[in-house]
Amino acid sequence: NDAFLCSHFLWCCARTDYQLKTLIDARVDLMEPRNLVIVSSVLTVGIGGMVVKIGTMAFAGVGRCALLAIVLNLLLPAKSSVQS
């Protein structure tokens, strides 16, 4: 069981490194609070082992992170292009 947890932790760390490289290459502005909330929430949920069950369906791993990212992108207000 400890070997499984260790391998799962290492896999999550490697996956997180790849995700951060993608964000850096895309030049995502993490100083914008909206982006920071989305990225930190998705990474935190992605590293954890949480499973969300809705009826007979269960969301885990990448599917759960994708749904969270979509919901947060829809709910959090985008930065207005009009400067006041």
Side-chain angles (χ1 to χ4, degrees):
N1 198 10
D2 289 339
F4 171 76
L5 291 176
C6 183
S7 64
H8 179 70
F9 176 75
L10 292 175
W11 181 85
C12 289
C13 289
R15 185 79 180 146
T16 302
D17 181 48
Y18 176 75
Q19 292 168 343
L20 291 175
K21 182 182 180 328
T22 302
L23 292 172
I24 292 168
D25 290 346
R27 298 186 186 272
V28 174
D29 182 14
L30 293 179
M31 295 305 290
E32 185 179 337
R34 176 183 187 268
N35 292 341
L36 186 59
V37 167
I38 293 171
V39 169
S40 62
S41 299
V42 169
L43 287 175
T44 302
V45 168
I47 291 172
M50 184 177 74
V51 176
V52 176
K53 291 184 179 182
I54 302 172
T56 59
M57 295 181 0
F59 295 98
V62 176
R64 183 192 59 234
C65 290
L67 287 175
L68 177 63
I70 291 168
V71 168
L72 288 176
N73 272 301
L74 292 173
L75 292 178
L76 296 176
K79 188 175 184 180
S80 176
S81 61
V82 177
Q83 299 290 329
S84 53

